[in-house]
């Protein structure tokens, strides 16, 4: 009886250790949203109960670093 109990407990510990090792390898799938701004996929800004359509004409690098 003790032998069967010991085997069950050691099996549970082994499974737990294996799950702990592979926990970083098992990740949920993340969907990547396509960039908005085209005529097929316009951008929208929500202002309270109103929604405004936005068209991107040109992209500007706001964080441009220059050295003197």
């Amino acid at each position: 009886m003790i032998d069967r109990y010991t085997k069950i407990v050691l099996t549970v510990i082994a499974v737990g250790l294996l799950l702990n090792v592979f926990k970083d390898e098992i990740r949920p799938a993340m969907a990547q949203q396509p960039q908005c701004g085209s005529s097929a996929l316009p951008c929208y800004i929500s202002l309270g109960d109103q929604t405004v359509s936005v068209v991107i004409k040109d992209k500007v690098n706001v964080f441009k670093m220059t050295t003197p």
Side-chain angles (χ1 to χ4, degrees):
M1 186 69 167
I2 294 176
D3 188 40
R4 182 179 292 174
Y5 175 77
T6 305
K7 287 180 182 179
I8 291 172
V9 170
L10 290 176
T11 302
V12 169
I13 291 172
V15 169
L17 287 173
L18 283 174
L19 289 175
N20 192 28
V21 168
F22 293 112
K23 72 178 179 184
D24 292 332
E25 299 298 324
I26 303 171
R27 296 182 192 141
M30 302 293 271
Q32 184 175 3
Q33 183 177 357
Q35 298 257 344
C36 67
S38 66
S39 60
L41 186 62
C43 296
Y44 294 100
I45 297 175
S46 178
L47 302 170
D49 59 344
Q50 297 178 347
T51 302
V52 178
S53 177
V54 177
V55 178
I56 299 174
K57 296 286 186 182
D58 191 16
K59 295 182 180 179
V60 178
N61 187 1
V62 178
F63 300 104
K64 185 176 181 182
M65 304 274 276
T66 57
T67 56

